[in-house]
Amino acid sequence: MQVISISSLKGGVGKTSITLGLASAAWAAGISTLVIDLDPHADTTTGLGIKHDQPGSDIGTMLRKPKHHNIAEHAVPSGWVPAAHQDGTRPGTLHVARGSAKTSMFEKVSTRRRELNRLSTLLDTADEYDLVLVDCPPALNGITRMAWAASTAVLLVAEPSLFSVAGTERTFRALDLFQREYAPKLKTSAVVVNRVRAASTEHKYRLSEMRRMFGNRLLDTQVPETSNWQQMQGAAWPVHAWPGDTAHTAARTFDHLLESLYDAKQPPRRARRS
Ligand SMILES: Nc1ncnc2c1ncn2[C@@H]1O[C@H](COP(=O)(O)OP(=O)(O)O)[C@@H](O)[C@H]1O
Ligand SMILES: [Mg+2]
């Protein structure tokens, strides 16, 4: 099982949008996927078409007693499934561990292993998934660190702006320190740039600056500023099932992004056991 956390120091840079894009790419590729919404705002849960009053515990409740919950039993199927039936595609399993404001009780940063390993412990019951995507809150708080401790890859999201570049550098520094001590499973940490406008001179400058600063940790795939993004998200629809050239191009971008983070050659956990 590969666990990818999507995080950033700042809000509004596109963590949730990138999580939904990666979920859509995994769904279209037939990868058995669990999305965990760790942001107390729970936007990912909404974007995946989940009603907040569905049965099953939310992730905040599960994290309180991780040994007493089976995450696969409480995860709910994404509301994207009907989209598949309409266009005839056969998507993979896409389940969601619902977000809720209860997660905010884990915001305080702790260095106690028991606290940091709450999500790792819960993921011991996520055996049936090959990929877990974790949308983090916009802070390097206890929740984000809990996600990092459970991750095999961390994807930082940045915008091509001065403050976002500086924030990403600080986040990489914090992540590297954390990895040494607390995140033994973490193999990959990379940054993706979102909302890129190819014609912008400022964006070109910031991208070359990031290439200098982050080297090959800066992913080649960049996510462009996309005009009908909010329409798609508002409809809680996967980008891979949205009509039109713009959505088609965005879907290919997320396919490439997923390819650079998810090792499809790694045998599924179930297969390795047998
Ligand atoms: N590439 C993009 N093109 C256009 N709009 C975007 C793009 N990425 C994000 N947005 C919009 O920006 C806003 C903030 O994005 P969001 O994914 O919610 O950020 P975060 O989760 O980091 O707070 C949302 O309204 C979203 O639709
Ligand atoms: Mg968000």
Side-chain angles (χ1 to χ4, degrees):
M1 181 175 59
Q2 297 172 56
V3 183
I4 305 174
S5 288
I6 296 92
S7 43
S8 79
L9 197 62
K10 238 168 86 111
V13 294
K15 283 177 301 302
T16 296
S17 303
I18 301 278
T19 305
L20 293 172
L22 288 172
S24 180
W27 172 84
I31 299 166
S32 173
T33 301
L34 171 68
V35 178
I36 299 181
D37 190 355
L38 278 191
D39 189 341
H41 284 119
D43 294 338
T44 299
T45 304
T46 309
L48 285 158
I50 307 290
K51 295 199 176 59
H52 289 265
D53 56 359
Q54 284 202 5
S57 295
D58 62 86
I59 188 68
T61 305
M62 287 188 257
L63 286 170
R64 279 180 73 172
K65 291 186 174 169
K67 286 191 181 146
H68 294 90
H69 285 93
N70 182 324
I71 195 167
E73 275 174 18
H74 292 276
V76 290
S78 91
W80 286 358
V81 175
H85 294 303
Q86 278 184 13
D87 80 349
T89 51
R90 292 167 58 83
T93 299
L94 180 62
H95 287 175
V96 187
R98 277 190 299 123
S100 85
K102 287 185 202 154
T103 315
S104 48
M105 75 178 79
F106 303 107
E107 278 171 359
K108 196 164 159 273
V109 174
S110 167
T111 50
R112 290 171 59 199
R113 304 251 170 209
R114 187 169 160 270
E115 292 300 317
L116 285 168
N117 287 338
R118 280 180 189 273
L119 184 61
S120 308
T121 306
L122 194 56
L123 286 177
D124 286 342
T125 54
D127 237 15
E128 66 183 78
Y129 306 105
D130 293 326
L131 172 63
V132 178
L133 296 169
V134 189
D135 189 15
C136 297
L140 302 189
N141 59 18
I143 305 172
T144 297
R145 284 162 199 269
M146 202 194 288
W148 288 356
S151 295
T152 52
V154 170
L155 178 65
L156 304 184
V157 182
E159 284 176 320
S161 72
L162 171 65
F163 295 147
S164 185
V165 175
T168 304
E169 194 192 18
R170 282 201 300 280
T171 311
F172 266 135
R173 242 183 285 144
L175 179 60
D176 290 344
L177 278 175
F178 185 84
Q179 176 178 17
R180 259 171 258 154
E181 190 103 2
Y182 302 107
K185 289 178 250 174
L186 187 58
K187 299 281 178 288
T188 309
S189 51
V191 56
V192 63
V193 188
N194 184 30
R195 306 194 81 140
V196 176
R197 289 194 303 275
S200 161
T201 317
E202 165 71 6
H203 285 191
K204 276 186 208 144
Y205 176 79
R206 293 298 164 200
L207 282 166
S208 61
E209 184 180 42
M210 283 196 242
R211 201 153 289 122
R212 257 196 330 274
M213 287 168 77
F214 306 135
N216 58 11
R217 283 176 131 181
L218 175 71
L219 296 179
D220 290 335
T221 305
Q222 294 154 9
V223 183
E225 175 88 24
T226 305
S227 53
N228 54 357
W229 207 254
Q230 282 175 351
Q231 224 182 325
M232 254 182 296
Q233 288 176 346
W237 210 250
V239 61
H240 285 70
W242 195 260
D245 288 347
T246 315
H248 186 77
T249 308
R252 294 292 81 74
T253 304
F254 286 112
D255 289 341
H256 292 140
L257 192 58
L258 184 64
E259 273 165 31
S260 57
L261 296 164
Y262 177 75
D263 183 1
K265 290 194 285 297
Q266 201 169 307
R269 196 162 156 157
R270 291 178 307 283
R272 274 204 303 274
R273 285 181 155 193
S274 57

